[in-house]
Every structure is written in structure tokens, then in C-alpha cells.
Amino acid sequence: MVNIRMATVADLIEMQQCNLWCLPENYQMKYYFYHQLTWPQLLWVAEDFDGRIVGYVLAKMEENEDTTAPDYVPHGHITSLAVLRTHRKRGIATMLMRRAQLEMEQVMGAKYVSLHVRKSNRAAFHLYSETLAYEINDIERGYYADGEDAYDMRCTFAKHREREAAKNAAAAAAAAVTEVAEGVGKLVTA
């Protein structure tokens, strides 16, 4: 069992350590501090029963655009997501992402969130595209330091809510059909 909670300054060293263990893209401590000071609501950690950080999400609001432009749309970006190998396949990355996305939308007013993922990272691509409903926006050639291409992916919050509502409605309809079928079955056998 893990606890998902907002990160504090005291967590930054363990977050960086988790990053170093899990990912080839690493950041200096000042980058973590910058995120913590600027967007504290968008940094989340997963801690195990001993209080050890086993995963994190580092997110931000995009700020390099003209916010006064008429076509400006506030949006967030997932800078980094990592979960220790010993704790993968437990839904931790999904929980971290959903929490950061919720804060982006409800607290920061984001309309969508973007991220980059290596084309070769099939597990992450599956998480983003299948579980979290991200869509490929573009391919950025040579995005990573080693020259690998990246998928530029986006999740639009309004579209995501519509998909979730449709999925829930379909599940409710299927449950109702099953209930009716069971009721008919009982009448026939009675």
C-alpha cells in the first residue's frame, strides 16, 4: 500500500534519487526547487509504509507563451514521472498522474496537459494512451539527448470527462441489462 500526497521541500532529494534510478533524463536539484516553489500543487509523491518515496510526478503550467494573446489556452505539462521498479504494475503512476491532472484543471485552470514520451517506451505509451486517454499531438524528432524521437502527447480535460461519462454510462447500462436478464431467468425457472 502506498500513500499519494503532495510533495514537500523535504521530499526533493528522494524524488531526485528516484529519478536517477528510473530515468535517463535527469535534472539538477535547482530544477526540482523551481517546480516546488512555482507550482507546489503539481508535485506529488508516492510513499511506502516506511515513508520512503517510491514514485513521483513533477508537473508545471506552461509559462513561455503570451498569456494576453486572444488564442491563449492555459495548459499544464508533465515534466517527469517515475516509479521504482519494485513498485511498478500497482497503479501508482496512474494515481500520481490523475492527482497532478486534477490539480492542474481545478486549481490552475488548465484546459489540457501535455507530455513527451520516448517512442521506444511502450509501457509508458500504453499508460498514457490507453489508461489516461492521451492522444499523439506530434512527433518531435531527436527530442532526447541520445537522439531518440518523442511523442508529444496531450490530454484535453473536457474530452477526457466526456469519455469517462460515456464509459460509466455504458457500464451502468450493461449492469442494468444483466440485472434484467437475471430477473427474467428467475421468472422462467420459478
Side-chain angles (χ1 to χ4, degrees):
M1 187 72 182
V2 298
N3 178 40
I4 305 296
R5 63 170 175 78
M6 193 179 295
T8 67
V9 171
D11 297 320
L12 297 182
I13 290 174
E14 280 191 83
M15 289 170 67
Q16 185 183 40
Q17 192 65 38
C18 185
N19 171 269
L20 292 169
W21 277 104
C22 297
L23 300 172
E25 297 78 39
N26 307 126
Y27 308 102
Q28 293 181 7
M29 183 53 67
K30 66 181 178 181
Y31 197 59
Y32 292 91
F33 275 117
Y34 175 64
H35 275 69
Q36 178 65 41
L37 291 170
T38 311
W39 306 282
Q41 308 92 327
L42 303 182
L43 278 70
W44 292 83
V45 294
E47 63 180 359
D48 68 6
F49 62 92
D50 287 330
R52 183 175 66 122
I53 303 300
V54 297
Y56 73 88
V57 62
L58 186 67
K60 65 180 185 171
M61 292 298 293
E62 286 293 356
E63 59 183 359
N64 56 351
E65 297 176 17
D66 180 6
T67 58
T68 61
D71 61 342
Y72 171 73
V73 177
H75 61 282
H77 183 77
I78 303 297
T79 303
S80 181
L81 171 70
V83 175
L84 294 177
R85 287 191 186 279
T86 54
H87 288 74
R88 291 183 185 168
K89 300 292 184 190
R90 299 180 188 185
I92 295 171
T94 301
M95 290 186 286
L96 288 166
M97 288 289 291
R98 286 193 172 141
R99 190 56 208 228
Q101 290 176 178
L102 180 73
E103 297 292 323
M104 269 181 212
E105 181 181 21
Q106 294 184 355
V107 176
M108 310 301 268
K111 302 301 180 201
Y112 70 89
V113 57
S114 63
L115 58 79
H116 292 95
V117 61
R118 286 178 175 270
K119 286 182 75 175
S120 65
N121 191 342
R122 302 311 303 161
F125 182 80
H126 183 270
L127 168 70
Y128 301 136
S129 62
E130 299 298 322
T131 306
L132 297 171
Y134 279 69
E135 297 173 345
I136 296 171
N137 180 58
D138 197 5
I139 295 175
E140 296 204 24
R141 306 276 177 220
Y143 179 81
Y144 292 100
D146 63 3
E148 184 173 349
D149 297 344
Y151 290 121
D152 169 11
M153 302 186 78
R154 291 185 181 180
C155 177
T156 304
F157 295 129
K159 192 186 295 186
H160 181 69
R161 274 194 311 280
E162 289 172 10
R163 261 191 230 114
E164 288 298 311
K167 194 184 309 181
N168 291 340
V177 168
T178 301
E179 188 176 322
V180 168
E182 288 172 354
V184 169
K186 288 178 184 177
L187 286 174
V188 170
T189 58

